[in-house]
Amino acid sequence: MADTDADPKDAPAPSNASPWDALRRFTNARIALGRAGSSLPTAPLLAFNLSHAQARDAVHQPLDVDALHAALQEAGFDTLDAESAAPDRDHYLRRPDLGRKLNDESTARLRDHEGKGFDVVFVVADGLSAYAATRHAVPLLQRMRSKLDGVRIGPVVVARQARVALGDGIGELLRARIVVVLIGERPGLSSPDSLGVYLTYEPRAGRSDAERNCISNVRPEGLPYDAAAFKLLYLLNEAVRLKLTGVSLKDDSDALLSASERTTLPPA
């Protein structure tokens, strides 16, 4: 007769247990999913289909511009609006070149903005995941603001149908020393809301990707906000010191995570 008082934890492991099972808690990668005959079990198959749908939705979901402006203003930021030359999402996806330049109305609006130049201008852009911009841009900017005392921060520009290079034209028109673009990255099957951060020293139209630095996968499940803010502050300081960004600016911030953080940009 079976011992009804036996501890279930003491039960022998099932004969079909996989040595990969213990590793699943360390990664979101789809490993050790099991099988049902020659196919996947129902649960992981449904989870895959859900992730695929979330990734597709992230690409096509429009940015809630009004809500983002309201959240930024509530956090204490001035804001401006901008759109690329892509008139709609279909053109944006089919014509990446249109997403890299401002439309005429946005160009005129930014050119007419009163100001004598800024040390840093932040751009929050939909990119390929409006989810990412909506969820992660404001928390990251709030952490950055406390680290930039005395720095001339321009209005945060909310950009629609935007590619990374759109920030070059924005920064040039606002006479920014550095432009920082917070943009939704291409969604994956485990991260439909990953935020990328790109910074360019002395932005102007025609800058290449080799002339900017990137911090990727900013989100609580990836690179947390505090760590991303630390890296961004390090790169901003180094960009001002070296007067450049891009392949010649190396991110050595990981070695300094336990050191005291510098709280302001050095003078020009």
Side-chain angles (χ1 to χ4, degrees):
M1 185 174 180
D3 183 0
T4 57
D5 294 329
D7 189 336
K9 293 185 294 184
D10 296 332
S15 58
N16 61 347
S18 168
W20 290 93
D21 289 342
L23 300 177
R24 293 181 63 186
R25 60 192 177 97
F26 296 109
T27 178
N28 288 329
R30 286 176 166 81
I31 63 172
L33 298 181
R35 63 182 182 180
S38 60
S39 183
L40 286 173
T42 300
L45 178 60
L46 292 176
F48 177 88
N49 289 337
L50 174 62
S51 295
H52 187 262
Q54 289 174 329
R56 289 177 60 87
D57 287 348
V59 171
H60 295 283
Q61 180 71 26
L63 182 66
D64 190 337
V65 174
D66 292 339
L68 187 52
H69 276 292
L72 287 165
Q73 291 166 10
E74 184 178 353
F77 293 97
D78 295 328
T79 63
L80 290 172
D81 203 45
E83 295 181 56
S84 77
D88 52 46
R89 201 63 176 171
D90 184 63
H91 282 83
Y92 172 80
L93 295 173
R94 295 175 182 272
R95 291 283 306 277
D97 59 308
L98 296 179
R100 299 186 183 111
K101 58 184 179 181
L102 291 162
N103 64 17
D104 293 340
E105 181 182 349
S106 297
T107 299
R109 184 186 307 121
L110 294 175
R111 182 179 288 123
D112 292 342
H113 180 75
E114 294 183 2
K116 298 181 179 179
F118 303 98
D119 292 318
V120 181
V121 166
F122 293 100
V123 178
V124 178
D126 49 7
L128 289 170
S129 174
Y131 290 157
T134 301
R135 294 174 181 173
H136 308 312
V138 176
L140 178 57
L141 287 174
Q142 287 175 315
R143 285 160 173 79
M144 285 303 301
R145 185 173 185 172
S146 64
K147 302 175 184 295
L148 296 176
D149 291 338
V151 175
R152 296 173 301 166
I153 302 175
V156 178
V157 180
V158 177
R160 285 170 282 183
Q161 314 295 7
R163 302 281 175 172
V164 173
L166 192 72
D168 297 338
I170 293 172
E172 183 176 18
L173 288 169
L174 294 179
R175 298 173 58 195
R177 183 159 46 147
I178 300 175
V179 68
V180 179
V181 179
L182 287 67
I183 189 168
E185 295 182 315
R186 186 183 306 276
L189 292 176
S190 61
S191 56
D193 62 340
S194 179
L195 186 74
V197 181
Y198 294 80
L199 62 156
T200 308
Y201 186 80
E202 293 187 345
R204 61 178 182 270
R207 286 289 197 190
S208 71
D209 288 341
E211 296 175 287
R212 61 181 112 257
N213 290 81
C214 174
I215 302 170
S216 186
N217 196 29
V218 178
R219 58 193 183 102
E221 302 83 3
L223 183 67
Y225 302 136
D226 289 328
F230 184 92
K231 282 180 171 289
L232 180 53
L233 180 65
Y234 174 87
L235 289 173
L236 286 171
N237 278 301
E238 289 297 287
V240 172
R241 182 177 70 86
L242 299 173
K243 300 188 185 305
L244 56 81
T245 49
V247 295
S248 296
L249 173 55
K250 306 303 180 184
D251 181 4
D252 296 321
S253 61
D254 288 342
L256 304 174
L257 285 176
S258 60
S260 298
E261 298 179 30
R262 294 167 68 183
T263 57
T264 60
L265 294 179

